[in-house]
Amino acid sequence: MKKVKCYAPATVANVVCGYDILGFAIDQPGDEVVVSFNTHHKTVITKIEGDHGKLPLDAEKNVVGHVVNLFLDKINSKQGVDIELYKKMPLNSGLGSSAASSVGALVAVNELFGNPLTREELLPLSMEGERLASGNAHADNVAPSLLGGLVLIRSYDPLDVVKLPCEMDLHVVSVHPHVDVPTGEARKIIRQQVSLKKAVEQWGNIAGLVAGFCTNDVELIGRSMKDVIIEPIRSMLIPYFAEMKQLSLDHQAIGFGISGSGPSVFALCSSHEQALNIANQLYSFLSSQSIECESLVTKINKQGAIILP
Ligand code: HSE
């Protein structure tokens, strides 16, 4: 029986100031999804590993089954599909865990059927995975996991997604403090009204960040990694956020912020050595405060989801 395996990378959504409109993929971690045809005429999740028993095996309640069913509807197929999901990252961590699972399932099943859809056509389906997981169909995790690199969602209606240039050799520190912050909850606490003064500041930073990536201007990227709207509120859910930010900037991080909806945080760095040093500093600091965490050093992922041999 033919099996197709896909690796879909984790992501850093928002990139500090671009709430719901910017995200980049990182090389590690990422989920693996294996799909094959079955003879039951329905989608069956046959195995989930790495979730500590937290994810449902019911295909309609799990993002992988849900998006595969949407894919089958879209191509008008009654074929049954078996899915194995290998979670390689913590749930509710801010690393785009549900997005990586949805994207992995869609890219794998698309390959299994001979690629009837383009990656751009898979995007709205993967966004429905986000709706199931968090109550909102945002694209800033799924789009970079599908397409790789840094992605801008210029508009949701109509959906208009732009892959931005991202040529610099940038390194990413990711630290996951062991506190639970479900995305749905982290979205509810955000204020729905923003003052014009703050909106103008935020627009300036978003434009600066995009300009910085387009012109390879690391200092402009650093100056623009500021969020005056979301971070002041969400950072309250993350232990020692201000201290970690200061520590990272004191050790030459280009910028620092919340990864997606948290609780993971990330630092963008110019060199692997700087990134390793910051990862160690943050890990030691949180440990000294009795906060358990994982830290890793990775890079911006340029390819997005890939089919594995
Ligand atoms: N843009 C989304 C949010 C990403 O910040 O809620 C969720 O990971």
Side-chain angles (χ1 to χ4, degrees):
M1 179 69 83
K2 182 182 173 193
K3 283 193 171 196
V4 173
K5 187 195 264 193
C6 175
Y7 174 83
T11 43
V12 172
N14 302 334
V15 199
V16 181
C17 50
Y19 178 68
D20 278 358
I21 63 159
L22 285 173
F24 61 73
I26 51 179
D27 280 338
Q28 294 289 337
D31 282 352
E32 286 175 18
V33 184
V34 178
V35 294
S36 54
F37 293 130
N38 69 31
T39 51
H40 315 306
H41 300 290
K42 63 177 185 180
T43 301
V44 182
I45 300 175
T46 55
K47 190 197 268 189
I48 305 179
E49 281 184 8
D51 68 328
H52 305 289
K54 288 187 182 160
L55 292 175
L57 275 162
D58 180 339
E60 258 316 314
K61 292 191 179 141
N62 188 310
V63 295
V64 291
H66 183 58
V67 298
V68 164
N69 282 337
L70 292 175
F71 171 87
L72 295 169
D73 286 348
K74 174 104 182 152
I75 64 163
N76 287 317
S77 173
K78 300 266 179 271
Q79 173 66 52
V81 174
D82 280 347
I83 308 174
E84 298 166 27
L85 171 59
Y86 298 91
K87 290 299 304 173
K88 307 275 176 155
M89 66 182 94
L91 313 179
N92 293 329
S93 56
L95 291 169
S97 169
S98 54
S101 296
S102 298
V103 167
L106 283 167
V107 171
V109 78
N110 196 38
E111 176 81 12
L112 186 68
F113 279 81
N115 290 309
L117 302 184
T118 63
R119 296 246 168 156
E120 286 69 20
E121 288 168 331
L122 294 178
L123 180 58
L125 307 184
S126 62
M127 289 165 65
E128 291 306 317
E130 294 297 81
R131 193 193 305 282
L132 180 66
S134 72
N136 189 73
H138 46 272
D140 51 341
N141 290 118
V142 284
S145 186
L146 253 181
L147 306 173
L150 174 68
V151 179
L152 165 71
I153 296 94
R154 192 215 47 91
S155 157
Y156 275 89
D157 188 14
L159 189 60
D160 183 1
V161 170
V162 184
K163 193 167 166 180
L164 296 169
C166 182
E167 282 142 25
M168 289 160 289
D169 196 28
L170 297 178
H171 302 258
V172 180
V173 178
S174 174
V175 175
H176 173 226
H178 289 187
V179 290
D180 213 31
V181 180
T183 298
E185 299 306 312
R187 295 182 76 81
K188 280 187 203 146
I189 61 169
I190 295 168
R191 286 198 194 100
Q192 295 300 310
Q193 250 103 51
V194 175
S195 72
L196 184 60
K197 184 170 177 290
K198 283 208 167 30
V200 170
E201 268 185 78
Q202 197 86 350
W203 293 328
N205 284 322
I206 295 166
L209 189 62
V210 171
F213 274 97
C214 291
T215 58
N216 298 335
D217 186 338
V218 170
E219 284 175 12
L220 177 57
I221 292 172
R223 291 202 299 284
S224 308
M225 283 176 70
K226 292 204 180 86
D227 174 5
V228 295
I229 296 173
I230 314 289
E231 183 180 290
I233 299 189
R234 279 189 171 168
S235 58
M236 290 188 280
L237 302 175
I238 301 172
Y240 301 103
F241 179 84
E243 289 83 352
M244 289 194 281
K245 183 172 185 171
Q246 195 58 52
L247 195 57
S248 301
L249 297 177
D250 287 348
H251 288 85
Q252 283 76 52
I254 298 166
F256 177 92
I258 303 172
S259 179
S261 56
S264 290
V265 293
F266 78 102
L268 200 58
C269 302
S270 297
S271 77
H272 182 67
E273 291 67 33
Q274 265 172 12
L276 269 183
N277 182 28
I278 289 172
N280 288 336
Q281 299 276 348
L282 293 176
Y283 183 88
S284 303
F285 171 71
L286 285 182
S287 300
S288 73
Q289 304 299 328
S290 305
I291 307 281
E292 281 183 39
C293 69
E294 287 126 27
S295 67
L296 67 93
V297 170
T298 184
K299 292 186 76 174
I300 295 187
N301 169 287
K302 307 279 167 78
Q303 270 184 303
I306 50 166
I307 298 297
L308 297 176

